[in-house]
Amino acid sequence: LAKTTQPISMDSYEGQEVNITCSHNNIATNDYITWYQQFPSQGPRFIIQGYKTKVTNEVASLFIPADRKSSTLSLPRVSLSDTAVYYCLVGDILRGGSARQLTFGSGTQLTVLP
Amino acid sequence: DTAVSQTPKYLVTQMGNDKSIKCEQNLGHDTMYWYKQDSKKFLKIMFSYNNKELIINETVPNRFSPKSPDKAHLNLHINSLELGDSAVYFCASTPSAGADETQYFGPGTRLLVL
């Protein structure tokens, strides 16, 4: 069972790069790492996903070291609207058979200050 | 137009009552989930159905019973509601039950048990 650990909160200023790290020491071979963003009174929203090395999309980058025991979400040049809770999710669901648990981290409250 | 919808949005009820929360997705996905988010923002998976078949059933009280009449709907029925059931319940869906599937979340149902 992959347990995840994230910082409870982080503050940043507009225009800065923000890096949020998630620890998942017991990650399994089949597990993917996914990050979600959640605004108040809304459901989580997908940001980025990776298995190993580095992944980049139009909103973020995800860095995963070779041992995969942690991952870092990088948000370039944050704005006030990036203030939200960020969750990492580690898990796998086996098709048509016994299912593994999907484990969300405790979430990191990112506050972007002007 | 909403991809994943839940009803009701808010639910206030007395201890001991039985209530249901409905979820519908119009994305054509095969897999649906129920999550519980407590006051500390922990997101915990409860159930998952793939093509109307239960594939994840985490350790939740048997007062909670999911029902999937078809693959576009996953309803959650709760018997004998308790104070500790107060939380936000999120429904989500993915195209299939694969490890790399992006989850699409509904807006949540805020349940308050008095």
Side-chain angles (χ1 to χ4, degrees):
Chain A
L1 178 61
K3 180 181 177 182
T4 59
T5 304
Q6 303 175 231
I8 294 175
S9 64
M10 295 180 70
D11 290 344
S12 180
Y13 290 96
E14 278 191 291
Q16 289 187 332
E17 178 184 76
V18 171
N19 296 309
I20 306 173
T21 296
C22 180
S23 298
H24 27 79
N25 291 322
N26 297 325
I27 191 169
T29 303
N30 293 332
D31 285 344
Y32 278 74
I33 301 158
T34 313
W35 284 79
Y36 288 82
Q37 176 191 56
Q38 186 179 27
F39 296 112
S41 302
Q42 294 185 24
R45 186 176 69 173
F46 172 86
I47 302 175
I48 196 166
Q49 183 184 73
Y51 183 79
K52 61 180 179 181
T53 64
K54 177 184 174 182
V55 179
T56 298
N57 63 21
E58 62 276 9
V59 297
S61 294
L62 179 58
F63 298 92
I64 305 169
D67 65 7
R68 302 198 331 121
K69 292 184 183 297
S70 67
S71 58
T72 299
L73 172 72
S74 181
L75 304 172
R77 297 180 300 280
V78 294
S79 63
L80 296 177
S81 62
D82 292 319
T83 294
V85 179
Y86 292 82
Y87 292 94
C88 71
L89 170 64
V90 174
D92 172 33
I93 303 174
L94 302 178
R95 295 176 189 271
S98 60
R100 288 170 48 79
Q101 187 177 39
L102 292 174
T103 306
F104 271 88
S106 54
T108 298
Q109 171 66 58
L110 172 66
T111 302
V112 180
L113 304 169
Chain B
D1 291 327
T2 304
V4 182
S5 60
Q6 297 178 226
T7 54
K9 189 172 182 179
Y10 299 96
L11 184 54
V12 181
T13 188
Q14 299 286 335
M15 279 178 56
N17 284 348
D18 302 339
K19 291 294 179 184
S20 292
I21 306 172
K22 296 185 177 181
C23 178
E24 177 181 2
Q25 54 93 5
N26 61 8
L27 297 167
H29 289 173
D30 285 347
T31 310
M32 297 182 72
Y33 312 77
W34 276 110
Y35 287 88
K36 178 181 181 181
Q37 186 171 44
D38 61 23
S39 57
K40 295 183 179 179
K41 302 298 185 183
F42 283 104
L43 263 169
K44 184 175 171 60
I45 192 167
M46 302 173 68
F47 302 102
S48 177
Y49 271 72
N50 184 52
N51 269 322
K52 302 195 298 176
E53 179 183 346
L54 183 66
I55 60 170
I56 293 179
N57 184 4
E58 292 303 310
T59 306
V60 299
N62 57 16
R63 299 181 293 104
F64 290 78
S65 55
K67 287 183 172 54
S68 182
D70 55 63
K71 69 177 188 179
H73 297 85
L74 181 62
N75 304 323
L76 183 64
H77 188 74
I78 315 170
N79 289 327
S80 303
L81 278 156
E82 300 177 357
L83 294 177
D85 297 332
S86 296
V88 182
Y89 292 84
F90 287 101
C91 176
S93 72
T94 55
S96 68
D100 57 345
E101 301 285 357
T102 298
Q103 297 199 42
Y104 293 81
F105 283 84
T109 295
R110 286 144 189 85
L111 171 64
L112 177 60
V113 182
L114 303 174

